[in-house]
Amino acid sequence: MSAGDDADALDQATRDFVAARPQLFGIAYRVLGSATEAEDIVQETWLRWQRTDRTGIHEPAAFLATITARLAINLAQSARVRRETYIGPWLPEPVDTSVDPQLGAERAEALDMAVLFLLEKLNPVERAAYVLREAFAYPYGQIADILETSETNTRQLVSRARKHLAAERREPVTPAAHRRLLEVFLVAAKTGSLSALEDVLSADVVSYSDGGGIRGASRIPVVGRPHVSKYLVAFAPRFWPPTEVRWVEANGGPAVLVSVDGNPVALLSADVSERGIERLMWVMNPAKLEPYAASLST
């Protein structure tokens, strides 16, 4: 093969990778719940793709997705151990979906913050099977090949994931209703209105603050309407007065970016059903918050 042929082959490999890249990131992000780790996986996939003998590969996108999914599963297995020592609640790293609402997928499934949070409770193989089926509409046989298991087992993996989500989460409301309720909540939280907060929170609401150990972030979830309401009222005078808020989109839903002097201090998102707010999710860890905030200005 001549130098020109080598260059042409690399150019084609680059085009194939660039075309598949949104999907590769979407797979890795959903499996890992971390944009930073997903970028690392995509970069490793690119390096392996360059080193691969590509002459016999007829479906580059499928080959690249297989590498990505397997790398993500391996990393997720080690991440589970790391997260056991994480200080306080762990929440997914938020992503701005305003440009790519489905994040490289056929459907915007397994992207909502609450869904990613619940998927974290599944083992990585179950998570990958669910993501490939529900978000990317992969046939069961192809998922089985990627996971190196049987098609029957793949169907069981997806079924278990679906049942887990159905048991843990109530049907969400429309995006418009979600935004309206979050607006009412924000006013109530900023003013410290106990009665208004109790009106919008579900009976068994849980508030999670992911600060990764930073000062001011609760290290345990706050559970139940009375406790969450009183907790929000108590910290309102200290937290809200110096802040500015900006409505943004995160993981396909409305969210509130809270900043002080232009520096982000929290991203608030919520899981909302007909009963009210089921989960409040405060991402305060700078390692997760700052990349998200930076992505909004690019």
Side-chain angles (χ1 to χ4, degrees):
M1 182 179 287
S2 68
D5 290 336
D6 285 343
D8 289 343
L10 185 57
D11 285 345
Q12 183 60 52
T14 302
R15 287 193 292 272
D16 290 337
F17 178 81
V18 170
R21 194 185 191 290
Q23 185 182 96
L24 305 182
F25 179 83
I27 292 170
Y29 174 72
R30 286 169 169 86
V31 173
L32 294 163
S34 166
T36 304
E37 291 177 346
E39 288 287 2
D40 290 342
I41 291 295
V42 171
Q43 181 62 24
E44 177 62 24
T45 299
W46 165 241
L47 294 174
R48 294 192 182 199
W49 178 235
Q50 288 177 287
R51 297 194 296 263
T52 296
D53 179 1
R54 300 179 295 275
T55 53
I57 297 173
H58 304 296
E59 295 185 32
F63 184 86
L64 289 164
T66 298
I67 296 174
T68 298
R70 290 176 181 174
L71 287 172
I73 289 169
N74 290 340
L75 185 56
Q77 287 167 339
S78 64
R80 294 189 85 179
V81 177
R82 294 199 307 276
R83 285 170 191 165
E84 288 175 1
T85 60
Y86 192 81
I87 300 173
W90 178 92
L91 291 173
E93 180 182 346
V95 288
D96 176 19
T97 46
S98 59
V99 176
D100 181 3
Q102 302 187 167
L103 211 63
E106 293 196 17
R107 298 191 291 265
E109 296 296 323
L111 192 52
D112 182 281
M113 288 283 282
V115 172
L116 287 172
F117 174 69
L118 292 173
L119 286 178
E120 180 71 13
K121 299 180 182 180
L122 300 174
N123 72 54
V125 176
E126 288 173 331
R127 209 180 313 158
Y130 179 85
V131 163
L132 292 168
R133 180 63 184 173
E134 297 301 313
F136 295 90
Y138 274 53
Y140 282 107
Q142 191 173 353
I143 300 171
D145 290 341
I146 291 172
L147 301 181
E148 298 179 294
T149 187
S150 68
E151 186 171 331
T152 299
N153 189 45
T154 298
R155 290 178 181 276
Q156 291 172 345
L157 291 169
V158 174
S159 177
R160 282 203 297 270
R162 285 174 178 158
K163 288 176 182 176
H164 171 73
L165 289 175
E168 293 284 335
R169 192 183 189 216
R170 294 179 179 272
E171 186 68 25
V173 296
T174 66
H178 187 144
R179 168 73 183 242
R180 285 196 301 271
L181 198 63
L182 196 52
E183 287 173 344
V184 173
F185 168 82
L186 186 61
V187 172
K190 292 175 73 173
T191 58
S193 172
L194 185 64
S195 60
L197 286 168
E198 290 176 338
D199 284 344
V200 297
L201 300 176
S202 68
D204 48 4
V205 62
V206 185
S207 178
Y208 301 93
S209 299
D210 179 343
I214 69 165
R215 186 177 178 184
S218 175
R219 297 192 178 190
I220 58 171
V222 184
V223 182
R225 183 189 290 143
H227 291 105
V228 173
S229 299
K230 290 173 184 175
Y231 172 75
L232 292 169
V233 168
F235 84 63
R238 300 191 304 274
F239 181 75
W240 292 108
T243 66
E244 312 96 39
V245 300
R246 172 185 175 187
W247 284 94
V248 293
E249 181 177 303
N251 295 69
V256 177
L257 183 64
V258 184
S259 303
V260 175
D261 297 328
N263 299 311
V265 295
L267 180 75
L268 168 64
S269 57
D271 188 19
V272 183
S273 77
E274 291 290 347
R275 303 194 317 163
I277 294 174
E278 304 282 355
R279 292 177 181 84
L280 290 165
M281 293 164 285
W282 306 80
V283 175
M284 304 175 76
N285 185 339
K288 298 180 180 181
L289 185 58
E290 290 172 4
Y292 171 81
S295 74
L296 298 176
S297 58
T298 58

